């Protein structure tokens, strides 16, 4: 027995273990034990209370110490421990425990855009002094502090309310007056760089979209050249790194939320998501609930699993869930064949051709293996083509594999390794997403690919050329195909996504510690697509609204953005299930006229109505042993109707039987204009559908006044509607305030 083992045995004997073997220990898995609100609950350390609870359940003090990984206790009460199934069972029955759920990994929902929103620098009003008091917290892959987008020239010291920290480490050795806070979370996992530096690029991209300062001559390989800037360039940034190579873990996100709330952030942006779960088992729903309690709005990405129905994530009614739409700029990469045939593909290709024409071949012709044995050469799979047959040529790859350009498995990467001159990839489905390529490359539609293949097969010396990507105008906004769609499964009568924002081919800052394509190490900007990119646009718009209305609740800010949003130019069949209220319009959102507000206690009664346990809901209220009040779900929701919340959109998933539908929505609005005002209701509905608003006219004597109204929609779900009945109600004061709410009824099984 080695000395090391002897020492270990000695240790085990002395700590009095009922010696759990390594195998047994490995059966333990990290679980989050969520215990509600932490405020005022503890006189001493929260962790002591967690330790006592855990010891009681495990029946062994030192074991309890060993298995506990995290204790939260600033705002969120809870802890993380490696547990066995029976311990999970016992803990979830404990008084004081709201939920116990397994720690899982969630994923990142991987600039012209502000101008496109009519938010042109110099043409809109900003209060730099107030804006520079706003701190936006970003939970992501960290930050590349040396990006010119985070230059703090002209910024004063952090706002007095800031209580956060700059935790330095590898490649992030300082913060500045722009990036005032940085923290990272990856507890008890070795082989990580202890740093909030961004080795991925995603976090830097998102953060600069929110609050980057203006940087001119920003481009990627010369493409999309212009001035890049964030929506609130004077605001401050606090970065919370929760995502690492394998994803973003629940326990790290909760830790970040817990600290960000106390640090003093005003807004939280989080472009991360995963499976949709009941709210008390979803770290983003939990974290954002506690943020809401402290007046902080959390903005989330809707997810990238569209266009199928039921794909939307981040569903809690207290978050703002953002879909991705196009801007009016599109990236075209033209391919020309020697016979004169010209086709337009999509990509971000920064290479200018050096020759008029290049020899053209296909993966099939460049093959040096028998198809099927080593992979599919016609689809340019790795190891199936000979260098001698590809060198110096443009290679055409048939549809077959879906690998992102720039990734080590991408066709561009494979052809580059064979010293090819370029790559043309056939797409199975049309895409609106431009991928940057390592060598000259273009992604072409299926039919275009077939034409090119035909040319190769029927020509003796096929030749082609790929031109540098150019940008052209396109009709916008329309929703991106990948953007996740409703309806949602957790709270079926809350419409999600809430809103949309640009998320297609967005140019923003990038991290020099990451790479856009494997070989281009030093790019300061990058073009990315995803609801990840849409989320920071909406978060910045929310910060912008807050800079005019610092005292508004998170729900009021969200309402202002939703009721002033611009409906899509091109409606897809999923209608509001794709884009909610429409595209953000920050300039209008600062003067919404009316707001639909929601208080913490309305969210609690909503949770009652959704069937959550009232003991658990009581724990969300917080309070110490002395001040804690029993929470009782009572039926005081008359006046709210079927959805039970004063939401700025109106939605119901109606039963699948029968085609006649009839729903009533009850709402309350508060005047936030100046002086007296009178609003008249206007409705839009498909033919044969009746929408009644009662009253049709509302007069407000002074700001702050509240009025109630109800909306009754009655109609027949025609076959042609395919289960989606889309209508809207708009309050108009004839003085420029149009307060619009979409109404969407959904009947399953009709699409
Ligand atoms: C609160 O009350 C419970 C049960 O009455 C007790 O076990 C616990 O120690 C108390 N906690 C604090 C912080 O006083
Ligand atoms: C990151 O840190 C490493 C180690 O300190 C250093 O060698 C490297 O140059 C840094 N990279 C950048 C881009 O600053
Ligand atoms: C750690 O930092 C080094 C540079 O200092 C970098 O090359 C490496 O990729 C980083 N590792 C991880 C896991 O982020
Ligand atoms: C980008 O635009 C600026 C101003 O129009 C120009 O000076 C610069 O050369 C351009 N850069 C590239 C790479 O096209
Ligand atoms: C095909 O060519 C590639 C690249 O030249 C080489 O790595 C591979 O071993 C070859 N395969 C066969 C079966 O010769
Ligand atoms: C060209 O030839 C290859 C190999 O026979 C075949 O797989 C492909 O379908 C042909 N292309 C067209 C357009 O017929
Ligand atoms: C809520 O859950 C707890 C723990 O499972 C249980 O003891 C309690 O009776 C439940 N309360 C209600 C109102 O169902
Ligand atoms: C549905 O509504 C139509 C007209 O609105 C009415 O004629 C019909 O009787 C209704 N059908 C049912 C089953 O209620």
């Amino acid at each position: 027995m080695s000395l090391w083992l002897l020492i270990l045995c000695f240790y085990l004997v002395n700590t009095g273990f009922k010696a759990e073997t390594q195998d047994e220990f490995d059966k333990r898995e990290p679980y989050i034990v969520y215990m509600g609100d932490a405020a005022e609950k503890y006189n001493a350390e929260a962790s002591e209370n967690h330790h006592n609870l855990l010891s009681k359940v495990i029946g062994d003090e030192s074991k309890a110490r060993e298995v506990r990984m995290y204790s939260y206790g600033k705002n969120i009460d809870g802890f993380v421990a490696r547990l066995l199934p029976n311990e999970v069972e016992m803990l979830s029955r404990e008084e004081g425990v709201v939920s116990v759920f397994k720690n899982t990994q969630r994923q990142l929902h991987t600039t012209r855009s502000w101008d496109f929103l009519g938010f042109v620098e110099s043409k809109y009003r900003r209060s730099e002094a107030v804006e520079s008091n706003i701190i936006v917290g970003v939970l992501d892959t960290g930050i590349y502090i040396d990006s010119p987008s985070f230059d703090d020239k002209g910024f004063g010291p952090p706002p007095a309310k800031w209580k956060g920290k700059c935790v330095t480490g590898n490649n992030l050795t300082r913060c500045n007056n722009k990036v005032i806070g940085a923290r990272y979370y990856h507890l008890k996992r070795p082989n990580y760089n202890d740093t909030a530096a961004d080795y991925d690029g995603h976090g830097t991209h998102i953060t600069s979209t929110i609050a980057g300062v203006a940087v001119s001559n920003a481009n990627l390989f010369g493409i999309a050249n212009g001035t890049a800037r964030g929506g609130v360039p004077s605001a401050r940034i606090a970065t919370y790194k929760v995502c690492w190579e394998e994803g973003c873990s629940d326990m790290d996100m909760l830790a970040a939320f817990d600290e960000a709330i106390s640090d003093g952030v005003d807004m939280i942006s989080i472009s991360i998501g995963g499976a949709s779960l009941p709210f008390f088992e979803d770290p983003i729903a939990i974290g954002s609930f506690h943020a809401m309690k402290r007046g902080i709005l959390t903005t989330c990405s809707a997810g990238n699993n569209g266009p199928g129905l039921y794909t939307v994530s981040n569903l809690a009614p207290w978050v703002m869930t953002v879909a991705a739409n196009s801007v009016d700029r599109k990236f075209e990469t033209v391919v020309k064949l020697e016979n004169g045939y010209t086709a337009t593909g999509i990509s971000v290709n920064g290479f200018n051709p050096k020759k008029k024409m290049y020899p053209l071949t296909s993966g099939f012709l460049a093959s040096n293996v028998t198809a099927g044995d080593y992979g599919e050469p016609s689809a340019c799979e790795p190891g199936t083509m000979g260098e001698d047959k590809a060198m110096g040529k443009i290679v055409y790859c048939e549809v077959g594999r879906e690998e992102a350009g720039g990734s080590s498995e991408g066709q561009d990467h494979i052809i580059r390794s064979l010293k090819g001159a370029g790559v043309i990839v056939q797409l199975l489905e049309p895409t609106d997403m431009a991928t940057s390529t390592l060598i000259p490359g273009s992604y072409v539609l299926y039919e275009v690919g077939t034409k090119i293949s035909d040319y190769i097969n029927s020509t003796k010396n096929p030749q082609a050329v790929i031109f540098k990507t150019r940008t052209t105008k396109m009709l916008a906004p329309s929703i991106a195909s990948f953007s996740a769609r409703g309806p949602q499964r957790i709270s079926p009568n809350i419409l999600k996504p809430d809103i949309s924002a640009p998320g297609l081919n967005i140019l923003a800052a990038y991290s020099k510690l990451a790479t856009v394509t494997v070989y281009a190490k030093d790019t300061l900007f990058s073009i990315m697509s995803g609801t990840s990119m849409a989320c920071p646009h909406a978060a910045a718009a929310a910060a912008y609204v807050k800079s005019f209305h610092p005292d508004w609740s998170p729900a009021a800010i969200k309402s202002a953005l939703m009721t002033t949003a611009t409906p899509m130019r091109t409606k897809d069949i999923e209608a509001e299930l794709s884009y909610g209220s429409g595209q953000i319009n920050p300039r209008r959102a600062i003067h919404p006229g009316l707001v639909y507000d929601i208080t913490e206690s309305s969210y609690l009664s909503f949770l009652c109505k959704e069937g959550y346990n009232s003991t658990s809901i009581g724990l969300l209220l917080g309070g110490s042993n002395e001040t804690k009040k029993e929470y009782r779900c009572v039926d005081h929701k008359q006046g709210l109707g079927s959805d039970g919340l004063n939401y700025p959109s109106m939605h119901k998933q109606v039963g699948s039987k029968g085609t006649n539908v009839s729903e009533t929505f009850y709402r309350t609005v508060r005047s936030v204009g100046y002086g007296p005002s009178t609003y008249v209701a206007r409705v839009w509905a498909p033919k044969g559908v009746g929408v009644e608003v009662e009253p049709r006219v509302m007069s407000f004597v002074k700001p702050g006044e509240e009025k109630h109204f109800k909306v009754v929609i009655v109609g027949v779900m025609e076959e042609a509607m395919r289960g989606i009945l889309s209508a809207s109600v708009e309050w108009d004061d004839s003085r420029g305030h149009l307060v619009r709410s979409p109404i969407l009824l959904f009947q399953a099984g009709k699409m």
Side-chain angles (χ1 to χ4, degrees):
M1 199 187 279
S2 72
L3 181 62
W4 186 83
L5 273 175
L6 275 171
I7 293 169
L8 183 69
C9 287
F10 179 75
Y11 172 80
L12 290 177
V13 168
N14 272 278
T15 49
F17 268 177
K18 292 185 276 317
E20 186 173 73
T21 63
Q22 188 64 39
D23 273 4
E24 281 164 342
F25 187 82
D26 289 345
K27 288 211 184 79
R28 295 184 166 273
E29 291 186 276
Y31 277 84
I32 292 158
V33 181
Y34 172 51
M35 301 172 66
D37 198 90
E40 299 167 40
K41 197 183 266 180
Y42 298 115
N43 304 319
E45 276 281 289
S47 73
E48 199 181 309
N49 186 52
H50 300 154
H51 175 71
N52 293 342
L53 180 58
L54 196 52
S55 301
K56 183 175 127 195
V57 166
I58 296 182
D60 180 329
E61 285 233 10
S62 59
K63 188 91 223 165
R65 202 161 280 123
E66 188 193 1
V67 299
R68 189 153 53 96
M69 304 172 77
Y70 263 115
S71 265
Y72 317 119
K74 289 184 164 158
N75 299 282
I76 301 168
D77 188 15
F79 62 93
V80 182
R82 296 182 161 277
L83 299 173
L84 295 170
N86 68 310
E87 294 161 359
V88 170
E89 187 63 39
M90 280 156 78
L91 274 167
S92 49
R93 281 199 306 264
E94 281 290 325
E95 181 191 2
V97 171
V98 177
S99 58
V100 184
F101 57 99
K102 205 166 170 171
N103 179 59
T104 62
Q105 300 291 333
R106 281 157 206 273
Q107 303 305 322
L108 294 165
H109 284 150
T110 297
T111 295
R112 156 121 191 94
S113 48
W114 288 114
D115 289 355
F116 172 66
L117 292 170
F119 205 51
V120 182
E121 181 80 24
S122 80
K123 282 205 194 139
Y124 66 98
R125 216 150 60 79
R126 283 204 292 128
S127 162
E128 281 178 26
V130 186
E131 195 178 298
S132 75
N133 245 327
I134 290 190
I135 305 165
V136 184
V138 181
L139 274 59
D140 211 283
T141 61
I143 199 160
Y144 179 60
I145 183 90
D146 292 320
S147 165
S149 296
F150 306 131
D151 188 345
D152 70 346
K153 202 159 74 200
F155 280 82
K161 66 184 173 189
W162 176 241
K163 295 195 207 68
K165 269 199 193 158
C166 181
V167 182
T168 57
N170 269 0
N171 294 114
L172 191 117
T173 50
R174 66 189 169 93
C175 289
N176 62 18
N177 285 332
K178 175 77 192 169
V179 180
I180 59 173
R183 295 180 189 268
Y184 58 88
Y185 304 86
H186 65 80
L187 203 81
K188 296 200 177 160
R189 276 175 287 159
N191 305 324
Y192 277 77
N193 288 331
D194 283 336
T195 179
D198 181 9
Y199 294 99
D200 180 279
H202 190 270
T204 299
H205 199 278
I206 280 161
T207 310
S208 74
T209 301
I210 300 173
V213 298
V215 180
S216 54
N217 297 343
N219 61 71
L220 175 64
F221 312 135
I223 300 163
N225 187 30
T227 297
R229 72 188 157 84
V232 278
S234 297
R236 317 295 182 120
I237 294 156
T239 193
Y240 298 86
K241 178 169 172 176
V242 294
C243 298
W244 305 83
E245 267 160 32
E246 78 282 13
C248 326
S249 94
D250 291 356
M251 58 184 178
D252 294 336
M253 285 194 278
L254 271 181
F257 266 110
D258 193 32
E259 290 200 305
I261 295 166
S262 293
D263 285 350
V265 303
D266 295 291
M267 288 285 156
I268 289 175
S269 178
I270 177 163
S271 291
I272 300 170
S276 295
L277 295 167
F279 300 140
F280 297 156
E281 294 166 31
D282 173 345
I284 297 176
I286 294 170
S288 58
F289 182 85
H290 292 274
M292 175 277 294
K293 281 177 68 117
R294 309 289 185 277
I296 302 163
L297 175 63
T298 301
T299 306
C300 297
S301 45
N304 298 341
N305 293 331
L309 294 178
Y310 298 105
T311 48
V312 66
S313 63
N314 290 325
L315 307 173
W318 45 83
V319 307
M320 180 157 74
T321 310
V322 190
N325 62 250
S326 60
V327 297
D328 59 349
R329 178 174 70 187
K330 142 171 130 184
F331 295 91
E332 289 184 344
T333 308
V334 172
V335 172
K336 191 175 168 196
L337 307 183
E338 207 266 337
N339 70 358
Y341 176 73
T342 302
T344 303
I346 184 169
S347 68
V348 179
N349 165 36
F351 304 95
N352 267 313
K354 294 199 187 75
K355 293 199 280 184
K356 243 180 129 171
M357 282 288 156
Y358 294 78
L360 175 66
T361 187
S362 63
F364 180 82
L365 293 174
S367 162
N368 65 355
V369 297
T370 320
D373 287 358
Y374 299 87
E376 199 50 64
S378 55
C380 299
E381 293 197 357
T384 62
M385 295 162 292
E387 184 177 308
D388 52 327
K389 294 177 177 160
M391 192 191 293
K393 296 181 183 169
I394 292 176
V395 182
Y396 167 73
C397 306
E398 254 177 39
V399 66
R401 299 176 326 109
E402 298 209 3
E403 298 296 346
S407 83
S408 60
E409 294 290 286
Q411 290 93 340
D412 60 331
H413 186 261
I414 292 157
I415 302 303
R416 188 189 189 276
S417 70
L418 300 172
K419 303 197 169 64
V423 63
I424 301 168
V425 183
Q426 183 187 32
L427 292 166
L428 183 59
E429 304 272 354
T431 183
D432 33 24
M433 210 159 92
T435 311
S436 40
T437 55
L438 291 172
I439 53 172
S442 186
Y443 292 76
V444 299
L445 290 179
Y446 191 85
E447 310 79 65
V448 170
T450 306
K451 285 213 175 86
I452 295 172
S453 171
D454 195 29
Y455 164 76
I456 295 170
N457 288 358
S458 61
T459 311
K460 198 137 179 248
N461 282 313
Q463 295 188 64
V465 63
I466 301 169
F467 293 101
K468 181 169 170 167
T469 300
R470 62 179 191 208
T471 57
T472 56
K473 287 260 175 189
M474 64 187 263
L475 190 64
S478 65
I479 214 75
S481 56
F482 59 76
S483 190
R485 299 334 198 236
Q488 63 152 305
R489 292 196 196 272
I490 304 295
S491 288
N493 301 323
I494 299 294
L495 183 65
K496 290 281 172 176
D498 290 305
I499 205 159
S500 87
L504 195 61
N505 307 325
I506 303 297
L507 180 87
Y510 208 62
S511 173
K512 272 206 173 183
L513 298 164
T515 52
V516 178
T517 62
V518 184
Y519 299 98
K521 274 238 177 259
D522 55 353
T523 168
L524 281 169
F525 290 88
S526 176
I527 292 167
M528 297 175 89
S529 294
T531 52
S532 272
M533 282 68 235
C535 171
H537 280 94
Y544 180 66
V545 173
K546 188 164 176 98
S547 74
F548 285 84
H549 308 287
D551 56 335
W552 280 12
S553 72
I557 292 173
K558 178 172 149 185
S559 165
L561 285 162
M562 286 171 68
T563 59
T564 58
T566 315
M568 287 296 121
R569 276 282 281 281
T570 46
K571 258 197 170 195
D572 55 17
I573 51 172
E574 298 93 9
E576 283 85 1
L577 295 175
S578 324
Y579 45 76
S581 295
Q583 183 182 232
I584 53 164
N585 186 342
R587 287 171 71 190
R588 276 194 62 209
I590 58 175
H591 300 300
L594 304 173
V595 295
Y596 295 79
D597 210 347
I598 305 174
T599 59
E600 180 187 338
S601 72
S602 337
Y603 285 124
L604 295 178
S605 37
F606 166 79
L607 289 172
C608 282
K609 181 150 187 168
E610 295 279 295
Y612 286 88
N613 177 311
S614 63
T615 317
S616 301
I617 295 170
L619 292 168
L620 301 186
L621 270 173
S624 68
N625 270 4
E626 292 74 37
T627 62
K628 191 169 80 185
K629 285 184 212 82
E630 274 296 302
Y631 191 84
R632 290 190 40 232
C633 286
V634 285
D635 195 22
H636 50 77
K637 274 91 52 197
Q638 303 100 325
L640 275 175
S642 57
D643 52 352
L645 206 56
N646 193 36
Y647 217 69
S649 58
M650 300 170 195
H651 179 47
K652 186 83 199 277
Q653 294 187 38
V654 297
S656 57
K657 289 215 180 73
T659 51
N660 285 12
V661 290
S662 165
E663 288 300 329
T664 306
F665 299 93
Y666 296 86
R667 291 293 187 268
T668 302
V669 285
R670 184 172 73 238
S671 169
V672 292
Y674 310 99
S677 54
T678 296
Y679 284 83
V680 177
R682 286 195 303 200
V683 298
W684 280 263
K687 231 173 128 193
V689 173
V691 178
E692 290 297 328
V693 184
E694 201 187 303
R696 281 201 81 92
V697 178
M698 295 187 297
S699 287
F700 297 86
V701 180
K702 57 181 194 313
E705 211 173 302
E706 291 196 331
K707 296 271 178 214
H708 309 287
F709 64 93
K710 82 173 180 188
V711 175
V712 183
I713 177 164
V714 179
V716 178
M717 194 68 92
E718 302 283 2
E719 201 64 40
M721 291 176 182
R722 306 178 70 183
I724 291 175
L725 196 168
S726 164
S728 67
V729 54
E730 182 174 81
W731 291 102
D732 183 352
D733 74 347
S734 321
R735 291 190 310 189
H737 294 124
L738 298 170
V739 189
R740 188 178 162 280
S741 291
I743 307 170
L744 191 125
L745 302 185
F746 177 77
Q747 194 167 41
K750 295 287 169 69
M751 280 292 259

